[in-house]
Amino acid sequence: MADRSELSLQLTDAVAAAHQAIQRSGDRAFSTFGLSHRAHAALSAVDQGGPDGARPSDVARELGVSRAAATTFIQRLEVKGLVETTTDPDDDRGVRVTLSRHGLEVLLRVGQLERRLAARTIEGMPASAIARAVHLLQEFRQRLEQKQLEVVR
């Protein structure tokens, strides 16, 4: 049996590989609707702004990019008819971004496709195994967030 350090590395590698597989699956779902992973993330960030919309700075923060990069994403989505921009009622110099009707429809359809793909992925797996995996991953995430790892030189 492997020692705990080796098991830790194996778990980390397995989680990273699963994350990459999930992203590839999501990317296939997004591409069905002509979206990149980043465009989907930008649409989701706009959606989080609610009915009043999101500011470009909110979208930037959510995507982890500069405001200029977020503005570029927003402009591309606007050209595709997925979002609309309006003057910010609280600040005449700013804008608010909201999902267009088409953007909302695409976001909902992508979400449905993602859920169907996820459901197909776990077909045939025992519910108890899925529940154990969920519990393990939640605990793993929690422990990672609690630990402050020092870099050893």
Side-chain angles (χ1 to χ4, degrees):
M1 179 174 200
D3 69 6
R4 293 187 71 77
S5 294
E6 181 60 30
L7 287 172
S8 172
L9 292 174
Q10 289 176 8
L11 176 59
T12 302
D13 289 346
V15 169
H19 181 257
Q20 289 173 346
I22 290 167
Q23 281 192 315
R24 283 192 302 273
S25 178
D27 288 346
R28 286 192 301 273
F30 309 146
S31 67
T32 302
F33 296 94
L35 297 175
S36 67
H37 179 78
R38 222 24 149 164
H40 177 257
L43 277 180
S44 296
V46 169
D47 186 44
Q48 288 180 11
D52 294 334
R55 292 183 175 93
S57 58
D58 299 331
V59 175
R61 185 172 35 265
E62 196 64 34
L63 296 178
V65 298
S66 69
R67 189 181 183 289
T71 299
T72 300
F73 279 120
I74 291 165
Q75 289 169 342
R76 289 179 186 160
L77 294 173
E78 193 169 23
V79 167
K80 291 182 177 186
L82 298 168
V83 300
E84 299 167 344
T85 56
T86 56
T87 303
D88 188 336
D90 299 330
D91 179 2
D92 292 343
R93 298 169 296 157
V95 296
R96 290 280 185 159
V97 187
T98 55
L99 293 176
S100 66
R101 180 183 289 289
H102 177 60
L104 180 59
E105 179 182 311
V106 166
L107 194 58
L108 291 172
R109 291 175 65 200
V110 166
Q112 290 170 342
L113 182 55
E114 283 181 301
R115 282 188 291 285
R116 284 197 309 269
L117 289 171
R120 284 186 200 150
T121 301
I122 62 170
E123 278 179 1
M125 292 177 73
S128 61
I130 296 167
R132 282 192 314 271
V134 168
H135 177 74
L136 171 72
L137 291 172
Q138 288 171 338
E139 185 175 340
F140 186 60
R141 186 200 79 230
Q142 202 172 42
R143 287 171 176 254
L144 284 171
E145 290 173 353
Q146 290 173 352
K147 302 289 180 188
Q148 297 250 339
L149 300 177
E150 291 181 23
V151 177
V152 179
R153 291 182 184 215

